Amino acid sequence: MGGSIFSESILRFTEELDETIDDIDELNGNLKEITAKEADSLRLGLLHMSLEAPSNGYEPDGLIQNTTMYQNPLGVEIDGVEKEFISAEGGRVRLCFFPVKGERWDDKERRLIGILAKTMYMHFGRARMMGIMLRSIFDDPLTGVPNNNALMRFGNLRQYSGQLDGYAAVFINIKNFRYVNMTFGNRHGDILLRMFAQKMHRFMESDEIFARLGGDNFSMLIKKERLDLFTGFMDDMKFNVGEGTGTKQFEIKVRMGIYEACKGDTMADLMNKSSIAINESREDGSKDAERFSNDMFEKVMHKRKISAIFPQALADCEFVVYYQPKVMLSDNRLCGCEALCRWFRDEKIVPPMEFIPVLEREGSICQLDFYVFEQVCKDIKRWLEMGFDPVRVSVNFSKQHLHSGTPADRIIEIMDSYGIESRLIEIELTEMTGAEDFTALNNFVARMKERGISTSIDDFGTGYSSLNLLKDLDVDVIKLDKSFFFNIDCVEERHAADRKVVKNIVNMVNELDMQVVSEGIETEAQVDFLKEVNCNVAQGFLYDKPLPREIFEQRMTDRDFYANIHRSYAQKN
C-alpha cells in the first residue's frame, strides 16, 4: 500500500510541474509549492538543487544557484538519492533527495526518485532555454536592456489599455560615437554603450521602458510628468572605462527627439514623430533636443514627395544645367565655370536646398550627378562644334559616389563617349569628415590624376580635418567656402581674425602649388582683399549668378566682359 502511495505522489508531482514556465526563479517557486504538498507522501526530509550554467550574451557572468526546495524540521537520513546532469552547453544540475528522519526508501522508490529528478532536470533545461529564447526576442545582448521588440510590446499594451497618452516617447542618439570606436577601439565602445544603457535602465520606473534600437540609437517611453527630471538626469553622463592607469573618462552627449503622446495616438505614431524630431535636431544642428511639431511633419512629407517624384522628373529632363562663371582676379577675365543644377517643375524653380539634401540622404544624388555631368559633356561638345574655345567646367560629385561602385571609370567612359579632353573638366568633391571617406577620396583623386583630370575640394573649411586635406591630398584646386568672407570687408577689429585665417590658408595653398578659388564673392572690398592675399580666382554674384547655357555662351564669346564691367566701375568711383 505504501508503495502505491509513493508512486501516486511521484505521478502527481510530475503532473503538477508547470510546462509553460520560462523563468528559473519561477520554476523554483513552482517546485517548492509541489514539494511541500507531496513531502509527507514521499517521506521526504530534504530536497536541494544546485545549478551552474555557462555565460552567454544575456548572462555574461553565467548562472549559479543553490536552492533548498524543502526541508523537514524533523531532520533527514543520510542515505538519499543524488543525481547530476550535464547539459549540452556545459551546464550542471545536481538534485539531492533525502528521506525524513527514521525513514528509508526501497530500491523501487529510489528508482522513482531518480525518474522524478530527471523530469525536474528536463523542466529546468526547458525553462532556461525558453528564457534565453525570450530574452533573444526581447533583450539586447550587448547592453542587457530591452530591444525594439520589447519597446513595441510595452507600448502596444499601453495603447490597448488606453494609457499611452500618459507617456512621452524620446528617441536618443549618442553624438560622435563613431569617433569613440575609431579612436579607442570597439571594445571600449561596447563597454561605454553598456554603461550608458544600464544607467538609463536604472533611471526607469517599473511602468517605463528604455530600449536599444541598434548601434548608438535608443528609445524610451517615460511618463510625461518625469520628462523634466529626465532632462536634468541627462546632464551628468560621465563614465570611467578601464582600470588603473588605463582608465579613460568619457562624457556622453546625446541628441534627442521628443514627442508627448496625444489621445488616440498609436505606438507607431510615437516612434515616427520622435524620429522626425531627432532628424530635425540633426539637420538644424543648433539644439540637441527637439520637440515634435506639425511643421516638422509637413517638412518630412515634402521630402518624401521630392523622393517620390524625382525618378520621373529626371526621366522628363526637368533638371537643367546652369553655369556660374569664375573670374581670374589678375585681369578680370573669364577663366572657368561651375555647373549647377536647376529643377524646373510646373513652370517654377524648385530651390536646390529643397531637393539636394533629400537626394543626398537617400543616395539618389548619384543619379543626378551623372545626369548633370553628361549634360555638361554634351554642352562642351556643342561648344567645340560651334568653334568656341571652352573654359574648364567644374562639376559637383557627392561623396556618396566614393562608396558606390567605380565613379572614376564611369566619368572617364562618359568623357570618352563625347570626345571631351581632360583639360576641360574639373571634378568637385565636398570635404570629407572621416578616415574612411578620406581614403576613398584619396583613391579617387589618384585615379583622376592618372587621366589628367583636375580635382577640387568644395566648401573647404567646413569639414573635420581641413589641414590634413591640404597636407595629404593631391588635388589641384581648393575652393574656399563663402562663410570665410561674410565679415572680410568689415573694418571692425573683431573681424581681423577672419582676414588672418583666409590670408594664411591662401598662402598655404599657394605654397602647395594648388589653385585657390573663393566662392560667394559679392563686394569689391572682398575682391580687393583677395588680391592683397594673392588669391587667384573668384566666383560669386559680384560677377554673375548661375546662367542658362545660352547666356553663358555669350560670356565665352566675350572673355573681357567682366574686365569691361570692372573698368566701368573703377571709372565711376
Side-chain angles (χ1 to χ4, degrees), residues 24 43 156 168 175 286 316 342 417 509 517 540 572:
I24 292 293
R43 309 191 306 280
N156 287 332
K175 295 174 66 175
S286 62
D316 293 341
R342 295 294 180 264
S417 69
V509 174
V517 176
K572 290 178 181 179

Side-chain angles (χ1 to χ4, degrees), residues 359-374:
L359 302 181
E360 186 83 40
R361 275 192 300 275
E362 65 167 27
S364 298
I365 191 69
C366 296
Q367 299 175 49
L368 181 61
D369 286 348
F370 275 113
Y371 173 89
V372 170
F373 184 68
E374 187 156 3

Side-chain angles (χ1 to χ4, degrees), residues 531-548:
K531 289 179 178 179
E532 180 184 323
V533 299
N534 297 316
C535 177
N536 305 320
V537 179
Q539 172 184 344
F541 282 8
L542 176 65
Y543 298 102
D544 251 326
K545 62 184 180 181
L547 304 170

Side-chain angles (χ1 to χ4, degrees), residues 473-504:
L473 202 60
D474 190 19
V475 295
D476 302 281
V477 180
I478 296 294
K479 298 191 73 176
L480 296 186
D481 186 67
K482 62 183 179 182
S483 60
F484 279 113
F485 305 107
F486 289 154
N487 300 310
I488 285 298
D489 50 358
C490 296
V491 297
E492 292 93 333
E493 184 62 30
R494 61 192 175 96
H495 296 303
D498 296 335
R499 293 189 286 273
K500 289 178 181 178
V501 168
V502 174
K503 178 180 179 179
N504 282 286

Side-chain angles (χ1 to χ4, degrees), residues 26-121:
E26 188 179 345
L27 180 59
N28 284 340
N30 181 233
L31 284 168
K32 287 179 180 180
E33 181 181 334
I34 299 171
T35 305
K37 288 195 300 184
E38 300 297 334
D40 289 345
S41 299
L42 295 173
R43 309 191 306 280
L44 184 67
L46 177 68
L47 170 55
H48 183 81
M49 183 274 293
S50 62
L51 183 152
E52 297 178 17
S55 63
N56 57 54
Y58 301 97
E59 295 168 335
D61 298 323
L63 178 64
I64 297 176
Q65 283 191 357
N66 286 284
T67 307
T68 298
M69 301 291 183
Y70 175 79
Q71 187 169 12
N72 193 314
L74 297 176
V76 301
E77 295 291 341
I78 61 172
D79 185 20
V81 177
E82 298 184 18
K83 293 289 183 179
E84 185 171 274
F85 304 93
I86 306 298
S87 69
E89 61 175 344
R92 185 185 304 268
V93 176
R94 184 177 180 84
L95 292 159
C96 301
F97 300 78
F98 296 94
V100 69
K101 189 75 173 177
E103 294 287 343
R104 294 284 188 277
W105 290 325
D106 61 28
D107 289 344
K108 181 180 178 181
E109 291 171 336
R110 293 171 72 87
R111 286 199 305 274
L112 288 171
I113 290 289
I115 292 171
L116 177 60
K118 189 171 185 178
T119 302
M120 292 171 66
Y121 161 69

